[in-house]
Amino acid sequence: MSVRAPRLLAAAAALALLAVVPLAPAAPAAAAAVTGCPADPATPKHQMRAMWIASVVNIDWPSAPGKSQAELQAEYDGWLTLARSLNYNAVIVQVRPHADAFWPSPYEPWSQYLTGVAGQDPGWDPLEYLVRRAHEENLEFHAWFNPYRASMPAPGGAGTDVAKLPENSPLRVHPEWAVPYPVNNAAGRLYLNPGIPEARHWVETAVMDAVTKYDIDGVHFDDYFYPYPAAGQDFGDDATFAQYGGGFAGKADWRRHNIDLLVQEMDARVHAAKPWVKFGVSPFGIWRNQAADPLGSDTNGTQSYDANYADTRKWVKEGWIDYIVPQVYWNIGFTVADYAKLVPWWADVVAGTDVQLYIGQADYKVAAAGQPAAWFDPRELSQHLTFNRDYPQVLGDVHFSAVQVRADRLGAETILAAEHHSRPAFPPSWGPAKPLLFPVITAARRTAAGNALRWRPTASGTGPFGAVASYGVYRFDGVTAPAACDLADAAHLVATVRGTEWTDAAAEPGHHYTYVVTALDRLWHESPAGPPRWV
C-alpha cells in the first residue's frame, strides 16, 4: 500500500469515531466489470478536465471590480456554461489571491477584486454561490489559494506599503510578518514571511476556514511560495533565519524546510477535517535541471527547487499531496524546456505513488506575441494531449485560463475539444471506495424536448464515502442489452448529472435508443449499470 492510502484511511477512521459512516475498503464494482476491455484513448471515462478561473487583477472572474451581485453571478454562470459545453468536469477558482477572501472570513479582509475596495463587504457570500453552482452543473470545485502573497503592486494595490492594507489584514495586525519584495521597485509586493511559524499557521487557518465552511472538492495552491527571484535582491529574511534557522547549513535548505512544513501541515489539516477533500499544488514545470541534480529533467530553465524553494518532487514521494499540476507551459521541441521531455519526467516521478498527475497547459500562449512559432500552430495544444496518451500516469489537464479557453484563438480550443473532449468524462477516481448499488430507470419517454429519463435514487451509505453524488447516463443506438465492455470508455456516455432526471435533447425523433444509468460517489467510483430502458 502506498503512502497516501493508509493516511486517508486513518483520517477517515478518526471521523468514524465522530459518527461518520466507517469505510468499507472494497473495489468499485464497475471498475472490476470492465477489466480487460478495450478502451478508446480518445474517449476516456475518467480524466481531469479543468480550467483555472483567476480572480487576481480581475483576469477571469470577476472581469472587473464593482459589478453587482447579479452581474457577477451571471458572469460566473457563463464560465460554467463554457466548461460544460466543452465537456470539462472541474473548475479551479481563485478565492484568496493575496491574504484576502471571497467569503466572509474572520481572519482576512474581503478581496478588492469584488468591489474595487479592499476590505469592503460585497453584501453576499460569493464562495457559497461559486461552490453551489459548480455542483449544480456537476463540476468539481477546487478552491485556489495563494499562500504567502499579501499585496499587489500599486496603483490598484498596496504595493509594499503595509499602511495601505485594510485594517483587518494579517500584516496590519502583525506587521512583523511582512516582507516587501522586490524592494524599491514599482512591481513590489508584500509577503507573509514563510519562516515565521505563526505566519505559516495563520495561512493554514485562513485556508481551513473555507475548507470547514464550504463543500469544496479540493484545496489548490499555485506556484508562488517564496517569490520568484528579482535580479540583485534577496528576500529579506536574514533576521528570521537567525532566529529560526538553527540546524540548517544554509538559508536555502531552511527555506525549503519552511515550505515543506506548510505543505505537510496543510495536507494533514485538510484530511483530518474532511478526508474526501483533495489537496493539490500546481508548481512551476521544472523541479531541477539535470545539470544541477541527476534526478532532474533534461531541461535548462528556472528551477522551482531553487527559485521558489519548492521541493515538489519530495512532496510527491512523501505523499503530502493528492495531485500535482506542473505548469508545463512550453511547446513540444522547445530547447530550454521541451514538453516532450518534461511530461515523461513527471510521469516517472508520480509512478508508484498515489499522487495523481495532471498537466498545466499554457492556453494563453496560443498566437501570443513573442511566442515561438509552435504556438501559432492551431494544433499545438491538441498535440500535447495526444502526447499524454502514451503516459498512463497523466490523468488529465488544467488550462490557463478561462478567458483563453473562451477566446479559442486559431480555433485551437475547438480542435482540442473535437479530438480529446468529444464525450463527457468523470474526474479520476481516488481514495477509498465503497460498493454502490446501481440506479433503476423508472420512466423513459419521448417528449417535445427530447427523450426524458427519470431514475430512482440509489440507496447507499451516508457520509463522505459511499454516498451517491451524481450519475452517468449512457446511450446506445437501437434496442440492445449493453455488455460490461460497452461501458469501458466514454464512447456512449452522454451526460453526467446531479439529480435523478435528464432529458436527451440530442435524441432524434423516430429513432430507437437504449439508455443505462450508473451511480458515482463523490470520489468518482462508479457503480455497475442499472437495467436498460428503451425509448
Side-chain angles (χ1 to χ4, degrees), residues 254-308:
W254 169 74
R255 286 176 175 172
R256 276 184 287 274
H257 174 69
N258 294 333
I259 305 304
D260 284 352
L261 287 175
L262 171 72
V263 172
Q264 187 177 13
E265 291 169 1
M266 197 75 252
D267 172 71
R269 293 183 69 170
V270 167
H271 292 115
K274 293 183 176 180
W276 58 93
V277 172
K278 287 170 274 196
F279 175 45
V281 177
S282 60
F284 187 75
I286 299 173
W287 171 70
R288 299 201 88 186
N289 301 313
Q290 276 183 1
D293 191 316
L295 295 175
S297 52
D298 184 12
T299 50
N300 293 288
T302 300
Q303 305 170 111
S304 63
Y305 181 93
D306 302 282
N308 310 116

Side-chain angles (χ1 to χ4, degrees), residues 295-371:
L295 295 175
S297 52
D298 184 12
T299 50
N300 293 288
T302 300
Q303 305 170 111
S304 63
Y305 181 93
D306 302 282
N308 310 116
Y309 303 96
D311 194 352
T312 51
R313 184 181 183 277
K314 178 180 181 180
W315 305 344
V316 171
K317 297 301 186 182
E318 294 291 339
W320 292 342
I321 51 180
D322 297 304
Y323 69 84
I324 191 163
V325 193
Q327 298 173 21
V328 188
Y329 285 174
W330 304 282
N331 56 275
I332 295 173
F334 186 59
T335 304
V336 174
D338 187 347
Y339 185 94
K341 292 180 178 179
L342 276 164
V343 167
W345 185 87
W346 281 106
D348 181 67
V349 168
V350 303
T353 75
D354 280 342
V355 179
Q356 297 191 341
L357 172 63
Y358 321 137
I359 303 300
Q361 299 290 345
D363 300 52
Y364 72 96
K365 286 190 173 182
V366 175
Q371 295 299 331

Side-chain angles (χ1 to χ4, degrees), residues 494-516:
V494 289
T496 68
V497 182
R498 295 211 178 194
T500 56
E501 56 184 49
W502 178 73
T503 297
D504 184 2
E508 297 181 17
H511 286 248
H512 295 287
Y513 296 98
T514 300
Y515 294 90
V516 297

